[in-house]
Amino acid sequence: MTRMFVSLLALVAATPALALSDQPPAPADTAEAAAPPAGDVVVTASRSGDAIPANLIGSSVTVLDSDALAQRQTRMVSDILRDVPGMAVSRSGAIGGTTQVRIRGSESNHVLVFVDGIKASDPYYSEFDFAGLVADENARIEVLRGQQSALYGSDAIGGVISYATLTGREAPGITARAEGGSQGTFATAARAGGVAGDNVDYAVSAAYLTTKGYPAAPGGSRDLGADNLGVSVKTNWTPSPVFKLTAVGRYNYTRADTDDQAIAPNSPMVLGYPVITLVDTPGSYYKNSAYYGLVSAELNLFDGAWSNMLSGQITDAARDGYTSAGYSYGDRGRRYRAAFNSTVRFGNEHVRNRFTYAVDFEREQARVIDPSGYAFTGTNRSDTTGFVAEYELTVDQRLSLGASARIDQYSRFKGAETYRATASYLLPTGTRLHAAYGTGIKAPTLTELFGYSTGQYIGNPNLQPERSKGWEAGVEQIFAGGNAKIGATYFDNRFEDEIQTVYVFANGQYVTSSANSATSTSQKGVELYANIKLKNWRVDAAYTYLDAPQSVLAVTSPAPADGSYQAPVPVITQAVRRPKNSASLNVSYIPDALPLSVTATLRYNGAMRDYAFSSSYQTLLVDLHDYVLVNLNASYDLTKRVQIFGRVENLLNEKYQEVFTYRAPGTTAYGGVRIKL
């Protein structure tokens, strides 16, 4: 299976040359060669807020447009992220299970996530869980890889993911879809967007998915169901050419069944130890709700030469857990965030300069709700103020240079400085060279600073931010006026001061705390990609090789016959849940003769390692085998307004695990209808 997938990927990599071989090359002095080809634009790559052509960005970036989400019939946003180079996605079993995204070997809390322009990570966990993010109609995703802390501060070590619903001007009209299928699944989404008068645009969207699920526990029979809802409201008011007021509101809700982990009669054996496994736990579930809000005002003066933006946003997240006996635990997190950006643009038609100064203020607060009295339930708080300076130079829309620096001041620990430099050059032949170097930080979480349970999990107020530095260099070849490209990027990162859980002997017992590691880790690899948009075809392919060695304390010898305790020893292994090899291939075909669209998706996840724990909570390492998932979907336009569609996921019924002891779903099928007004 793996050999077949690699062969298909190699064939696609050759597709641009085959598809365009009968087109004569344009001379270097033609008008087409003189002007860079049009393509995707990216907003997250600069603090200016400008939409920058992707071929002028030194950092690695991937744009998943609304067409890509629709053609692949994406229902959970995390699924399409599997098609992005450098990404590793792991979901704990069924829909609603914890879903983590890692970029270039970083940890999942090293990825900064924006949803509709709002920093979306849960302030209590300091990480965004993709488990409840249902895909809207008409949305767009930008993935910016590499250290971006010089722009955005903490969390942006591995990169930045921005998910945004389109505005009423970008996608006017009314759409609605509904579908049903395997595992008692029903999903629906609706959107209304447009322009009112000359100065107001609006967009309202909602997406809902419910499923009865399947048994995720090995040998279990309890279906793990889930309900997911997302609602977004976005409006822009432009009373004059120089002023714009924007308001965004969003609500996400998830209710999902969960299973506990325990030693069971069918527990897997690792090195002779029975290890903890997922077991059916009737009555166990959690609820997660989050409110997001943003208001911004933008003033543009001197024909756009000087723009200023003031914004404020809030994230309010709540999570509650339940068992068959009733309410079990909860947590609350809230983030207030304000920013001021000022950008000056100057130059001429050949040389363009852009300088941006920004100030960010952020307050995070969180607390635990614990009916048992075990955990500390007071509210903890931390403030951060960041100062950003960014300069960008563009020459003839071919050469782009950028530099940014940031100073973060924290209320609870020492401040940090980060910086980044980028370069991109587009040759007349369509060959683009790009490179970037930068540093990143991840601030300690409130739990790591203040602890969780008095005398059991003790906070460490002396923690310092985790740090990273890294570089990348790549080459890209553009064809067909920007409609096709292939590229390769090499990256090399190093992490220092990583925060780890440690066990300390105090007052006659072992207690848990956090500490900065004295060792460093490295992550390096290669990303390959091909993106082709021709008349009837769209082909997107990606491959990633990741070398991410990690030192862990784990048991490596078989269990002693006398049952005595086996001490863990340092082990160098590939970082868990991050495969060395991963790839994806998406091919869409839309024939001229029929109102039909067909898309085939193949996703390869190489062998990985994961943790297992014995009854004494000793850490062991287990191997998860590689797998290939094949999805097939199609849509047919009955009329200009009515479309029917269907898809099959995991067509080959592959048996696999993304997280140890969590079974993944088998073959499923869905069908539905979409209406456009």
Side-chain angles (χ1 to χ4, degrees):
M1 180 65 71
T2 301
R3 189 177 299 128
M4 177 191 73
F5 185 83
V6 173
S7 299
L8 285 170
L9 191 60
L11 177 62
V12 171
T15 302
L18 294 172
L20 305 174
S21 60
D22 56 353
Q23 298 185 11
D29 59 351
T30 64
E32 181 178 353
D40 293 321
V41 294
V42 180
V43 177
T44 53
S46 169
R47 283 300 299 265
S48 67
D50 293 350
I52 301 173
N55 58 25
L56 291 176
I57 298 173
S59 302
S60 294
V61 62
T62 298
V63 176
L64 297 166
D65 58 20
S66 186
D67 287 342
L69 272 72
Q71 288 170 354
R72 300 174 206 180
Q73 296 189 19
T74 304
R75 298 299 174 256
M76 303 303 295
V77 173
S78 59
D79 287 338
I80 199 169
L81 292 177
R82 302 173 191 271
D83 299 331
V84 177
M87 306 288 277
V89 180
S90 58
R91 187 175 73 197
S92 299
I95 288 177
T98 300
T99 306
Q100 297 178 310
V101 174
R102 298 172 172 88
I103 299 180
R104 290 182 171 175
S106 66
E107 297 293 345
S108 55
N109 64 353
H110 292 162
V111 178
L112 180 61
V113 178
F114 291 108
V115 177
D116 280 329
I118 303 166
K119 185 176 178 179
S121 60
D122 187 315
Y124 176 78
Y125 295 96
S126 193
E127 178 180 337
F128 184 74
D129 184 358
F130 281 85
L133 189 56
V134 188
D136 298 271
E137 290 283 279
N138 298 111
R140 186 174 184 273
I141 301 173
E142 295 179 6
V143 180
L144 191 63
R145 299 186 291 283
Q147 292 83 351
Q148 309 297 331
S149 292
L151 297 178
Y152 298 107
S154 179
D155 298 10
I157 285 182
V160 177
I161 299 173
S162 174
Y163 172 79
T165 54
L166 301 187
T167 67
R169 292 186 187 274
E170 292 171 324
I174 299 174
T175 62
R177 61 170 166 82
E179 69 177 50
S182 300
Q183 300 173 0
T185 300
F186 174 75
T188 184
R191 183 184 190 279
V195 179
D198 295 328
N199 54 20
V200 175
D201 67 82
Y202 63 90
V204 180
S205 59
Y208 174 70
L209 185 151
T210 182
T211 179
K212 293 182 180 178
Y214 66 94
S221 60
R222 183 193 180 216
D223 292 335
L224 298 184
D227 298 305
N228 294 283
L229 172 67
V231 180
S232 176
V233 180
K234 181 180 296 186
T235 183
N236 294 290
W237 177 44
T238 313
S240 76
V242 300
F243 181 75
K244 181 172 73 171
L245 187 66
T246 299
V248 178
R250 187 174 183 92
Y251 172 69
N252 284 353
Y253 171 81
T254 299
R255 184 217 180 272
D257 294 329
T258 58
D259 279 340
D260 292 342
Q261 292 187 318
I263 298 293
N266 63 341
S267 287
M269 300 293 292
V270 179
L271 293 175
Y273 294 91
V275 296
I276 296 173
T277 188
L278 198 68
V279 295
D280 284 349
T281 314
S284 179
Y285 66 96
Y286 79 89
K287 292 181 180 180
N288 193 16
S289 61
Y291 297 88
Y292 307 94
L294 178 147
V295 176
S296 68
E298 183 177 358
L299 180 65
N300 293 285
L301 302 174
F302 309 113
D303 294 326
W306 183 26
S307 63
N308 297 275
M309 177 182 288
L310 181 65
S311 65
Q313 58 179 258
I314 185 173
T315 297
D316 194 322
R319 187 181 182 101
D320 296 291
Y322 300 83
T323 67
S324 58
Y327 187 71
S328 176
Y329 69 90
D331 53 72
R332 302 290 183 267
R334 180 173 294 179
R335 177 186 300 108
Y336 301 98
R337 187 177 173 91
F340 173 73
N341 289 28
S342 183
T343 300
V344 177
R345 305 170 184 86
F346 57 95
N348 53 46
E349 60 180 337
H350 295 289
V351 180
R352 300 178 182 179
N353 302 270
R354 182 167 50 225
F355 177 79
T356 300
Y357 173 74
V359 180
D360 299 329
F361 173 78
E362 181 176 299
R363 168 168 292 178
E364 289 188 331
Q365 59 189 45
R367 65 185 179 93
V368 175
I369 300 173
D370 181 13
S372 70
Y374 172 79
F376 171 71
T377 56
T379 298
N380 296 314
R381 191 182 76 185
S382 178
D383 295 342
T384 305
T385 304
F387 302 91
V388 182
E390 180 184 21
Y391 173 71
E392 298 164 282
L393 169 69
T394 303
V395 180
D396 290 330
Q397 290 295 99
R398 291 193 176 278
L399 172 65
S400 176
L401 301 173
S404 55
R406 180 183 177 107
I407 298 174
D408 281 295
Q409 297 179 346
Y410 299 98
S411 63
R412 299 292 183 177
F413 42 85
K414 185 180 178 181
E417 301 80 33
T418 51
Y419 56 90
R420 183 166 180 81
T422 64
S424 174
Y425 183 66
L426 179 63
L427 282 71
T429 58
T431 304
R432 186 173 76 95
L433 307 175
H434 65 93
Y437 178 87
T439 60
I441 57 170
K442 167 62 180 176
T445 68
L446 294 175
T447 300
E448 291 166 342
L449 287 171
F450 298 102
Y452 179 78
S453 175
T454 302
Q456 296 292 325
Y457 188 106
I458 301 173
N460 183 354
N462 297 317
L463 288 172
Q464 297 302 313
E466 298 176 285
R467 297 179 180 272
S468 171
K469 58 184 177 181
W471 63 276
E472 64 175 81
V475 59
E476 182 177 271
Q477 182 63 49
I478 303 172
F479 303 86
N483 292 316
K485 62 184 178 182
I486 58 174
T489 301
Y490 175 83
F491 61 88
D492 192 325
N493 301 318
R494 182 167 294 274
F495 286 82
E496 299 175 343
D497 295 328
E498 292 182 81
I499 298 175
Q500 299 178 335
T501 300
V502 296
Y503 297 93
V504 180
F505 190 75
N507 298 323
Q509 64 175 347
Y510 281 99
V511 296
T512 306
S513 187
S514 297
N516 291 104
S517 173
T519 61
S520 62
T521 61
S522 64
Q523 303 83 30
K524 54 188 175 182
V526 177
E527 298 166 349
L528 308 176
Y529 57 90
N531 306 108
I532 307 160
K533 298 178 184 178
L534 299 179
K535 182 179 180 181
N536 302 107
W537 294 88
R538 173 170 180 157
V539 179
D540 297 284
Y543 167 78
T544 303
Y545 171 78
L546 172 68
D547 181 23
Q550 183 181 46
S551 178
V552 299
L553 288 174
V555 175
T556 59
S557 301
D562 60 3
S564 60
Y565 180 79
Q566 187 91 353
V569 297
V571 179
I572 303 297
T573 182
Q574 175 82 353
V576 299
R577 301 179 190 174
R578 277 150 282 192
K580 279 200 169 185
N581 297 278
S582 59
S584 72
L585 170 64
N586 287 272
V587 180
S588 297
Y589 176 62
I590 305 174
D592 290 329
L594 295 171
L596 174 71
S597 173
V598 180
T599 298
T601 299
L602 288 83
R603 293 172 178 146
Y604 171 70
N605 196 98
M608 300 185 296
R609 307 212 79 179
D610 203 352
Y611 294 125
F613 297 93
S614 70
S615 58
S616 299
Y617 291 95
Q618 297 164 289
T619 302
L620 302 98
L621 291 169
V622 294
D623 295 314
L624 303 179
H625 70 77
D626 63 342
Y627 56 89
V628 175
L629 301 181
V630 180
N631 300 339
L632 183 64
N633 69 68
S635 62
Y636 187 87
D637 295 335
L638 296 177
T639 69
K640 291 183 178 180
R641 301 183 183 275
V642 180
Q643 178 189 82
I644 57 174
F645 60 84
R647 70 182 181 280
V648 179
E649 297 181 351
N650 194 3
L651 181 66
L652 304 181
N653 199 30
E654 186 90 341
K655 307 296 183 183
Y656 66 101
Q657 293 181 354
E658 296 180 7
V659 177
F660 182 56
T661 78
Y662 286 82
R663 292 176 52 216
T667 301
T668 55
Y670 310 90
V673 60
R674 176 180 286 105
I675 299 174
K676 304 176 184 178
L677 301 178

